[in-house]
Amino acid sequence: MKSTICHYGHSTLTLMTEKTFFIFDWYQGDISFPKDKKVVLIATHGHGDHFDPMIFEKAPQDAIFILSDDIEKKREGVHWIRPDENY
């Protein structure tokens, strides 16, 4: 399977690979999640047009969150990442 990138407007992009569905900077609208792939949500920074806390309610329960450490809403189970840090 080849990878597929979809642009949802402004900052939101998705990348679907064989096993994983990545969502970057999702802050509005609805996204359909494939049931057969791991979902990983990434927010590059805390501006309102790159991150909205609604992602925690709309994402699948087993989703992985990798968020910039400048996002103030700290939650359990989130991987916080700083500039120049690798995960």
Side-chain angles (χ1 to χ4, degrees), residues 4-77:
T4 304
I5 296 174
C6 183
H7 183 236
Y8 280 80
H10 188 62
S11 64
T12 305
L13 294 168
T14 63
L15 169 63
M16 188 172 331
T17 66
E18 186 175 336
K19 296 180 181 180
T20 310
F21 184 61
F22 296 93
I23 304 167
F24 297 87
D25 291 343
W26 180 29
Y27 74 100
Q28 66 180 4
D30 292 320
I31 293 178
S32 296
F33 303 101
K35 296 188 185 326
D36 63 337
K37 300 190 184 314
K38 190 65 168 167
V39 174
V40 178
L41 292 100
I42 299 169
T44 60
H45 61 284
H47 290 168
D49 61 345
H50 290 263
F51 169 77
D52 187 303
M54 65 77 187
I55 67 172
F56 298 116
E57 284 77 43
K58 289 189 171 186
Q61 192 170 10
D62 62 346
I64 296 170
F65 297 92
I66 303 171
L67 307 180
S68 171
D69 73 339
D70 73 326
I71 296 171
E72 291 187 29
K73 186 167 177 102
K74 303 292 184 187
R75 292 177 65 103
E76 292 282 325

